Amino acid sequence: MSKASLQFENVSFSYENGHEEKEILNTLSFDVQNGEFVSIIGPSGSGKSTIFKLITGLNQPANGEIFINETNYSNRLGKVGYMPQQDLLMPWRTIIENAALPLEIQGMKKREAYDKVRELLVEFGLNGVEHKYPSELSGGMKQRISFLRTVLSGSNVLLLDEPFSSLDAITRLSMQEWLLTQWQKLKLSILFITHDVDEALFLSDRIFVFTESPVRKFVEVNVPLERPREIRDIHTPAVIEVKEQLIEQLRMGSTQ
Amino acid sequence: MKRWNSYFAPFILIFSFFVSWQVVAMIIAMPFILPTPLQVIAKVWDLKDILFLVHLPATLMIIVTGLALSIILGVGLAVWMNLSKTAEKAFYPILVSSQTIPIIALAPIFVLWFGYSIWSKVAVTLLITFFPITVSTFDGLRSSSKELKELLLTMGASKRDIFFKLNVPTALPYFYSGLKVAVTLSVIGAAIGEWLGAQSGLGYFSRRMMTQFDGAGVFAPIVLLSAVGISLFLAVVVLEKITLKWRKSE
């Protein structure tokens, strides 16, 4: 019995750009199952981030319905955890104060919130930094804190928007492995935006590909890998075949 | 070594300035026009009782009252303009045009309105310090990151949360910049006010000494006014260092 954590049903959306209207989504449907790791991949400007703005409730669809944990909320703000591309930690808050932000907004008492943050810091192997300011941490560390803050939103559905794109290759790899560990431990449903095919293959159960604009339907690809995975697994022949297929589709999409 | 160097240059400059002043004033030898720095210091010492116990407290009272009102009204107006586009459109032009009025010309009218009471001087101080505080706070409130605001919204934040957790901390450094300008201006405002109509205060005392052709007596209260301005400025710097600890680690 797998339940859908996230569901789009015939969702349409357009941006108004001056008096010109640009259609991004046209009756798009998809779902993310409970505990699933799904990546969205596509050329930049194709509307990947639009999907996140719709799910978080920053934007409203023109038509169609969005379900979070099988509920169609009228106000989706505060219902999912969203991790932006830049870490967006507040420079005037220490790490513990930054991480406690979503709890504070939910109205939790400060002491209780800090206890909860400390617990997670230990669990994530990040203890010792709680009283530092973000400017004292490395890029990888800041992204870990940003992820921790996202987890503390309390939702089982997390949206990650190219979180590792600004990190160097080595840090990115260790962050990917770290993310998979946390995802399995916390039993989360993750929707992950990336433009890196290897990253999508290593992390995801399924990959959605943007091939048209406006989007009517994603091309959906299953990653033929078991878990737990290691980075060298993405060099097995079955995965390489999928990778070539993905690149082909992306190329077709961008020449359209 | 580096720290010592950074103080060395200004010290030499100021020292040579005072030495040349001393020499030139001794050559001219007309102390009612140009007293020497040593004469000024001697005068401060001579008049220490009346300067420190009567006129300094009177001027400080004006500065503190004027600044306090200026902060309350300035920050209040900045917040209001931030919350309402209509308020911004209504007040911003008035705020700017208020700065084009020559305040020295306006001060006698305040004396007419408020008499020789403290309020005519407070009004001048308020008018002169209000602008930097309001404009810098308003700019600070406006400059908060759009991405952070969206992130807070996705956490379910209310307007109140966004104001206190995002806009206020963003505006704080801007507010301090405005305050630094305002505290130095407040000394000028109080002195101008006292010049034009007062019965006590350092500005008033300086003017009275001028009518008596007491050159050193004119400069003595000015030395104190300048010291007040510098101390207020340093106080703001200290306050800034304490409340914006995170900036040190940048």
Side-chain angles (χ1 to χ4, degrees):
Chain A
M1 51 136 256
S2 88
K3 280 187 169 177
S5 294
L6 186 67
Q7 228 177 323
F8 267 45
E9 259 188 36
N10 301 317
V11 171
S12 301
F13 181 79
S14 325
Y15 264 123
E16 271 175 59
N17 190 357
H19 33 254
E20 219 176 309
E21 209 168 87
K22 196 187 172 217
E23 200 175 24
I24 310 279
L25 311 178
N26 184 353
T27 61
L28 175 74
S29 299
F30 71 86
D31 59 61
V32 176
Q33 298 299 310
N34 205 0
E36 204 178 13
F37 199 125
V38 176
S39 289
I40 298 181
I41 192 166
S44 46
S46 55
K48 291 173 292 189
S49 297
T50 306
I51 290 183
F52 275 16
K53 288 201 167 167
L54 284 167
I55 301 170
T56 52
L58 288 171
N59 286 334
Q60 294 303 331
N63 279 303
E65 285 173 325
I66 298 170
F67 296 89
I68 296 164
N69 292 319
E70 316 205 302
T71 315
N72 181 4
Y73 294 102
S74 59
N75 177 10
R76 290 184 300 281
L77 290 169
K79 297 287 186 282
V80 296
Y82 166 61
M83 177 174 174
Q85 196 168 350
Q86 308 92 16
D87 56 75
L88 291 187
L89 298 172
M90 293 175 163
W92 57 85
R93 282 178 171 238
T94 57
I95 295 309
I96 195 164
E97 289 166 342
N98 262 297
L101 192 61
L103 301 173
E104 239 176 76
I105 285 171
Q106 288 158 24
M108 192 184 274
K109 287 237 168 59
K110 219 172 208 174
R111 261 188 62 186
E112 213 178 314
Y114 286 2
D115 283 346
K116 213 166 163 185
V117 174
R118 264 190 216 104
E119 227 171 84
L120 259 192
L121 278 170
V122 172
E123 205 171 304
F124 281 21
L126 298 172
N127 41 334
V129 298
E130 58 255 50
H131 297 301
K132 290 203 166 137
Y133 287 98
S135 54
E136 298 170 278
L137 300 186
S138 67
M141 274 305 248
K142 280 194 261 194
Q143 287 296 357
R144 281 174 215 237
I145 303 297
S146 175
F147 179 72
L148 190 147
R149 179 179 61 185
T150 312
V151 168
L152 281 167
S153 68
S155 176
N156 63 324
V157 184
L158 302 192
L159 313 176
L160 314 187
D161 189 354
E162 301 194 29
F164 308 144
S165 59
S166 60
L167 302 176
D168 62 90
I170 304 291
T171 316
R172 187 189 301 188
L173 181 60
S174 71
M175 287 297 290
Q176 288 163 351
E177 285 166 345
W178 181 81
L179 176 64
L180 282 182
T181 319
Q182 303 309 329
W183 164 67
Q184 273 160 336
K185 204 156 61 180
L186 301 165
K187 301 187 174 42
L188 301 163
S189 311
I190 292 183
L191 191 57
F192 189 98
I193 289 182
T194 178
H195 55 243
D196 180 341
V197 177
D198 284 338
E199 184 171 64
L201 285 166
F202 176 50
L203 295 173
S204 338
D205 298 312
R206 282 189 294 159
I207 300 174
F208 297 157
V209 192
F210 270 85
T211 52
E212 49 178 9
S213 175
V215 192
R216 274 177 219 91
K217 201 170 178 343
F218 287 132
V219 173
E220 204 182 303
V221 177
N222 280 301
V223 179
L225 279 177
E226 298 297 311
R227 297 199 188 264
R229 298 173 182 175
E230 280 181 59
I231 189 66
R232 62 173 108 82
D233 294 343
I234 66 166
H235 300 303
T236 56
V239 180
I240 288 176
E241 200 178 306
V242 171
K243 180 176 172 177
E244 272 161 14
Q245 199 185 321
L246 273 172
I247 289 172
E248 189 60 34
Q249 270 152 356
L250 281 169
R251 203 171 274 158
M252 268 164 52
S254 61
T255 52
Q256 238 180 25
Chain B
M1 189 62 197
K2 203 167 170 201
R3 202 180 158 80
W4 189 78
N5 259 333
S6 70
Y7 288 122
F8 187 67
F11 177 78
I12 287 291
L13 190 67
I14 292 169
F15 185 75
S16 35
F17 170 74
F18 280 115
V19 168
S20 359
W21 180 1
Q22 178 79 27
V23 170
V24 170
M26 279 163 78
I27 293 169
I28 294 176
M30 284 191 282
F32 57 95
I33 292 176
L34 186 65
T36 68
L38 289 176
Q39 283 171 329
V40 173
I41 289 168
K43 198 75 181 178
V44 172
W45 182 251
D46 278 348
L47 297 170
K48 61 180 184 302
D49 285 344
I50 191 156
L51 278 179
F52 283 93
L53 298 178
V54 179
H55 296 295
L56 180 65
T59 303
L60 271 182
M61 193 66 200
I62 293 165
I63 290 175
V64 169
T65 317
L67 270 179
L69 283 175
S70 194
I71 290 171
I72 293 167
L73 293 175
V75 171
L77 182 61
V79 170
W80 192 15
M81 290 199 303
N82 181 248
L83 295 178
S84 143
K85 202 85 200 152
T86 322
E88 184 194 336
K89 286 209 171 110
F91 285 112
Y92 208 85
I94 297 177
L95 196 64
V96 173
S97 50
S98 80
Q99 288 310 296
T100 62
I101 302 169
I103 289 165
I104 295 192
L106 212 57
I109 296 180
F110 289 143
V111 177
L112 277 179
W113 289 351
F114 301 108
Y116 275 30
S117 75
I118 184 179
W119 296 108
S120 57
K121 276 78 78 183
V122 168
V124 177
T125 311
L126 178 66
L127 202 62
I128 213 170
T129 57
F130 184 69
F131 184 74
I133 291 181
T134 314
V135 169
S136 58
T137 310
F138 177 63
D139 281 346
L141 288 170
R142 238 184 354 183
S143 68
S144 51
S145 138
K146 189 172 162 275
E147 286 84 12
L148 259 174
K149 184 183 165 191
E150 284 191 347
L151 180 69
L152 283 169
L153 282 172
T154 68
M155 294 176 185
S158 62
K159 275 193 160 171
R160 199 190 140 87
D161 285 328
I162 288 172
F163 182 76
F164 283 109
K165 293 184 202 303
L166 176 61
N167 292 348
V168 171
T170 311
L172 208 54
Y174 291 80
F175 166 75
Y176 281 126
S177 303
L179 191 59
K180 278 188 212 162
V181 177
V183 293
T184 48
L185 286 178
S186 71
V187 177
I188 300 175
I192 292 175
E194 288 170 352
W195 255 60
L196 292 162
Q199 286 152 328
S200 60
L202 295 169
Y204 156 81
F205 188 78
S206 173
R207 192 177 173 187
R208 202 179 79 187
M209 290 298 113
M210 197 178 292
T211 60
Q212 297 172 9
F213 287 98
D214 183 346
V218 172
F219 277 93
I222 291 175
V223 170
L224 281 194
L225 277 172
S226 160
V228 168
I230 293 170
S231 324
L232 282 171
F233 186 86
L234 290 178
V236 177
V237 170
V238 169
L239 192 68
E240 192 182 14
K241 281 231 166 92
I242 294 171
T243 49
L244 301 182
K245 253 186 272 161
W246 59 274
R247 281 188 136 194
K248 256 191 301 188
S249 55
E250 290 262 288

